[in-house]
């Protein structure tokens, strides 16, 4: 294990670091657009806003775009071209201000897209991206990160900033990429002193005291095992529009569909992949017009079980970062947090599947 040097940097100097990085990177950061924040490419450090609760969509879109071309077919020339290299930007990317929940979201996607089968589209973008994380000392409006242990992150970043006293950041270096960033502007960084370490500890204590625990993970899988036939699924299924908004903003939802779009002249075709979600009717539609999850409540229940139960089986961790975006995005007002908390309340004292309320 390599112990890297930790530093401090003045908040006002972070913009200077980003200014120098713009020569070498495509830089993305949270920017405010009307009443929301989004990750967007910036050309001026003054346009980024790190004083934000949550962006509307996650950084997933920077590694796995909603739509992208995979290959093209020329029917006249009988040629097939792989578009992989065309879709990967030549310039490396730098993302500034990624919260711990979103970094944990990327760590989950790393498992999915780098597991049994490597997804080169995702992997190549990941390899060419440097991440400056930002610690949250207070809970955002809909977030419940501490309930799912994603308020902390130990890897997946190159530099990680924690606000400390005197308008400075304590800087954890997480990789050689982070060291390279520091070499771009060594005059802006100072080695952390013992007083800085104490200030860092105080910030972590403040974070620990301010982030609430809304429900407990320790018995969640057992709760879901028992709650398969709970009436709550039918109740919220009546409200769910199956619009897929919750999945589209989720940092860990990874499903996509692959379609061939033929040109109007019938001389060429493009194979594309597009984000897809288990909330859509045709997601589980198979040959013979049989649908494994025909009813809306079945699709909604599947989403809960896949993220909080199936992912534990497949990846060893839940597929929820507690970012709360699904709560903000749901037009029916369905709260992922409230549903889980209610299920734990319903089944808290049930020793067997025959137990319950």
């Amino acid at each position: 294990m390599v112990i890297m040097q930790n530093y401090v940097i003045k908040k006002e100097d972070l913009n200077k670091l980003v200014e120098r990085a713009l020569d070498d990177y495509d830089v993305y950061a949270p920017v405010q657009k009307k009443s929301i924040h989004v990750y967007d490419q910036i050309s001026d450090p003054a346009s980024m806003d790190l004083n934000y609760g949550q962006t509307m969509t996650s950084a997933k879109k920077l590694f796995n775009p909603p739509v992208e071309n995979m290959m093209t077919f020329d029917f006249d020339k009988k040629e097939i071209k792989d578009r992989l290299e065309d879709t990967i930007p030549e310039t490396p990317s730098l993302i500034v201000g990624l919260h711990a929940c979103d970094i944990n979201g990327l760590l989950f996607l790393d498992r999915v897209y780098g597991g049994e089968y490597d997804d080169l589209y995702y992997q190549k973008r990941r390899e060419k991206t440097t991440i400056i994380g930002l610690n949250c000392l207070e809970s955002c409006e809909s977030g419940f990160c501490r309930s799912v242990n994603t308020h902390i992150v130990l890897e997946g970043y190159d530099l990680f900033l924690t606000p400390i006293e005197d308008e400075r950041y304590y800087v954890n270096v997480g990789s050689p990429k982070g060291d390279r960033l520091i070499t771009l502007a060594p005059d802006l960084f100072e080695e952390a002193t013992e007083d800085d370490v104490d200030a860092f500890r105080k910030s972590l204590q403040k974070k620990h005291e301010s982030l609430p625990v809304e429900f407990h993970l320790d018995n969640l899988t057992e709760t879901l095992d028992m709650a398969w036939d709970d009436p709550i699924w039918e109740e919220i299924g009546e409200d769910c529009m199956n619009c897929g908004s919750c999945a589209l903003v989720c940092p860990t939802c990874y499903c996509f569909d692959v379609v061939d779009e033929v040109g109007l002249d019938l001389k060429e075709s493009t194979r594309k992949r597009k984000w897809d979600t288990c909330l859509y009717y045709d997601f589980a539609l198979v040959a013979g017009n049989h649908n494994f999850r025909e009813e809306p409540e079945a699709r909604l229940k599947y989403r809960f079980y896949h993220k909080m139960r199936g992912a534990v089986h497949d990846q060893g961790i839940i597929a929820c970062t507690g970012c709360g975006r699904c709560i903000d995005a749901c037009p029916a007002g369905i709260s992922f947090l409230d549903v889980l908390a209610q299920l734990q309340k319903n089944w808290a004292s049930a020793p067997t599947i025959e137990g319950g309320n």
Side-chain angles (χ1 to χ4, degrees):
M1 179 178 179
V2 178
I3 304 297
M4 295 193 175
Q5 179 68 48
N6 294 322
Y7 299 87
V8 292
I9 184 174
K10 295 178 182 176
K11 288 186 177 179
E12 62 189 40
D13 285 343
L14 182 62
N15 280 18
K16 298 177 183 176
L17 173 65
V18 174
E19 180 73 43
R20 298 183 197 183
L22 282 167
D23 292 335
D24 299 324
Y25 300 88
D26 289 335
V27 179
Y28 298 83
V31 299
Q32 186 167 9
K33 292 191 174 180
K34 296 185 178 179
S35 61
I36 62 171
H37 284 82
V38 297
Y39 291 114
D40 202 358
Q41 186 170 359
I42 63 170
S43 57
D44 180 359
S47 62
M48 67 180 184
D49 180 7
L50 299 184
N51 185 28
Y52 74 106
Q54 191 58 276
T55 54
M56 185 180 72
T57 56
S58 76
K60 174 179 69 177
K61 65 179 184 180
L62 303 178
F63 301 91
N64 181 17
V67 181
E68 70 179 339
N69 297 335
M70 302 179 72
M71 57 183 63
T72 54
F73 306 88
D74 188 317
F75 300 145
D76 287 340
K77 298 179 180 178
K78 301 185 185 305
E79 286 183 352
I80 301 175
K81 288 187 178 180
D82 187 335
R83 314 309 299 192
L84 173 62
E85 295 302 328
D86 298 337
T87 62
I88 309 300
E90 293 184 4
T91 305
S93 300
L94 171 66
I95 306 178
V96 184
L98 215 58
H99 288 168
C101 60
D102 273 354
I103 295 175
N104 276 298
L106 290 176
L107 291 174
F108 181 84
L109 294 182
D110 288 348
R111 292 171 180 244
V112 175
Y113 291 134
E116 185 176 0
Y117 303 103
D118 279 334
D119 186 304
L120 295 181
Y121 296 87
Y122 175 87
Q123 296 288 356
K124 284 182 175 291
R125 292 191 180 97
R126 196 77 164 96
E127 291 166 4
K128 295 185 69 171
T129 301
T130 299
I131 292 175
I132 300 180
L134 178 63
N135 215 341
C136 298
L137 302 187
E138 297 178 354
S139 177
C140 55
E141 185 173 351
S142 301
F144 52 98
C145 56
R146 192 179 172 198
S147 300
V148 290
N149 291 329
T150 59
H151 61 307
I152 56 175
V153 63
L154 303 178
E155 57 180 327
Y157 59 81
D158 302 294
L159 296 181
F160 196 71
L161 312 178
T162 299
I164 60 175
E165 58 192 11
D166 299 331
E167 293 296 308
R168 296 179 301 155
Y169 291 116
Y170 188 86
V171 183
N172 291 99
V173 181
S175 74
K177 286 183 181 177
D179 272 332
R180 182 178 183 278
L181 272 180
I182 291 176
T183 61
L184 292 178
D187 54 309
L188 304 180
F189 292 86
E190 296 180 1
E191 292 187 7
T193 66
E194 290 187 7
D195 288 343
D196 296 325
V197 174
D198 285 340
F200 176 57
R201 288 174 181 154
K202 289 178 182 176
S203 290
L204 296 184
Q205 182 63 32
K206 176 183 177 183
K207 172 181 179 176
H208 180 77
E209 293 171 351
S210 66
L211 298 181
V213 177
E214 310 279 1
F215 68 92
H216 295 280
L217 277 177
D218 52 359
N219 66 345
L220 185 61
T221 53
E222 290 87 347
T223 297
L224 289 171
D225 284 346
M226 292 185 289
W228 181 259
D229 293 321
D230 194 289
I232 196 172
W233 303 118
E234 187 172 349
E235 293 170 10
I236 61 175
E238 293 179 355
D239 296 330
C240 179
M241 303 174 187
N242 284 181
C243 64
S245 296
C246 53
L248 299 181
V249 300
C250 177
T252 64
C253 278
Y254 54 83
C255 291
F256 57 81
D257 195 9
V258 177
V259 296
D260 287 344
E261 295 185 354
V262 181
L264 293 176
D265 58 3
L266 304 181
K267 293 183 177 179
E268 59 183 15
S269 175
T270 302
R271 178 160 297 174
K272 298 182 176 182
R273 69 176 185 179
K274 303 177 178 180
W275 287 1
D276 200 0
T277 165
C278 53
L279 274 302
Y280 293 160
Y281 176 83
D282 57 1
F283 186 86
L285 186 65
V286 297
N289 204 33
H290 178 74
N291 197 319
F292 289 100
R293 291 181 289 276
E294 189 167 7
E295 301 300 325
E297 59 266 28
R299 298 195 286 276
L300 179 63
K301 183 167 71 172
Y302 174 82
R303 184 167 190 272
F304 273 83
Y305 272 79
H306 183 243
K307 299 191 80 63
M308 309 304 286
R309 186 68 176 88
V312 176
H313 179 271
D314 294 340
Q315 305 295 339
I317 57 175
I318 62 171
C320 175
T321 68
C323 67
R325 290 186 177 93
C326 57
I327 299 173
D328 293 334
C330 181
I334 298 172
S335 166
F336 204 85
L337 170 63
D338 289 347
V339 172
L340 294 176
Q342 184 62 47
L343 287 175
Q344 286 199 320
K345 180 181 178 182
N346 290 353
W347 296 89
S349 60
T352 69
I353 198 168
E354 287 78 22
N357 299 319

